[in-house]
Amino acid sequence: QVQLVESGGGLVQAGGSLRLSCAASGSIFSIKSMGWYRQAPGKQREMVATITSGGSTSYADSVKGRFTISRDNAKNTVYLEVYSLKPEDTAVYYCNLLQTIWGPESYQYWGQGTQVTVSS
């Protein structure tokens, strides 16, 4: 089993910034990608940013230019730096990991989430 632990969330004012961290541990074999998703009350969970083991990144249109995802493969850790935060960024942010083990099938894991609240 894989465990993902997020940290760095909190209450910030609009225009502020945060750095979220996600550390992976457990039965890690071959990571394909790690990423961040978020879910606000009453809304569907949405992808925010992902980064592959090769370093390719993807961002949701709503956060392009404001959020930056990075990784430290040696530590099995992924980061999300968020800038110019808006109230609509308020959500629980979840870390996600995809890996392969013995074949081409991908296995998906989720963290417990960290709350980001942006006040005006």
Side-chain angles (χ1 to χ4, degrees), residues 8-19 82 84-87 89-90 115-120:
L11 175 63
V12 298
Q13 293 184 335
S17 62
L18 288 171
R19 189 192 194 211
V82 298
S84 300
L85 283 164
K86 306 173 181 179
D89 294 319
T90 296
Q115 176 71 230
V116 172
T117 303
V118 184
S119 65
S120 59

Side-chain angles (χ1 to χ4, degrees), residues 49-70:
T50 61
I51 184 167
T52 70
S53 60
S56 298
T57 59
S58 296
Y59 295 93
D61 289 342
S62 60
V63 306
K64 286 181 179 178
R66 299 190 298 118
F67 290 15
T68 300
I69 189 169
S70 61

Side-chain angles (χ1 to χ4, degrees):
Q1 187 59 261
V2 172
Q3 295 81 43
L4 303 174
V5 179
E6 303 100 330
S7 62
L11 175 63
V12 298
Q13 293 184 335
S17 62
L18 288 171
R19 189 192 194 211
L20 308 183
S21 299
C22 173
S25 62
S27 301
I28 300 172
F29 290 82
S30 182
I31 297 174
K32 292 180 64 178
S33 67
M34 297 184 72
W36 291 92
Y37 293 68
R38 68 185 182 186
Q39 186 169 24
K43 298 187 67 177
Q44 297 291 321
R45 185 174 298 186
E46 64 176 347
M47 187 273 288
V48 175
T50 61
I51 184 167
T52 70
S53 60
S56 298
T57 59
S58 296
Y59 295 93
D61 289 342
S62 60
V63 306
K64 286 181 179 178
R66 299 190 298 118
F67 290 15
T68 300
I69 189 169
S70 61
R71 60 180 170 85
D72 185 338
N73 286 345
K75 298 180 179 180
N76 292 323
T77 300
V78 65
Y79 306 94
L80 186 69
E81 296 177 300
V82 298
Y83 312 94
S84 300
L85 283 164
K86 306 173 181 179
E88 52 263 42
D89 294 319
T90 296
V92 177
Y93 284 69
Y94 296 92
C95 182
N96 172 269
L97 182 150
L98 289 173
Q99 75 162 342
T100 60
I101 301 177
W102 293 333
E105 297 86 3
S106 295
Y107 296 83
Q108 183 171 259
Y109 309 89
W110 294 95
Q112 82 289 345
T114 184
Q115 176 71 230
V116 172
T117 303
V118 184
S119 65
S120 59

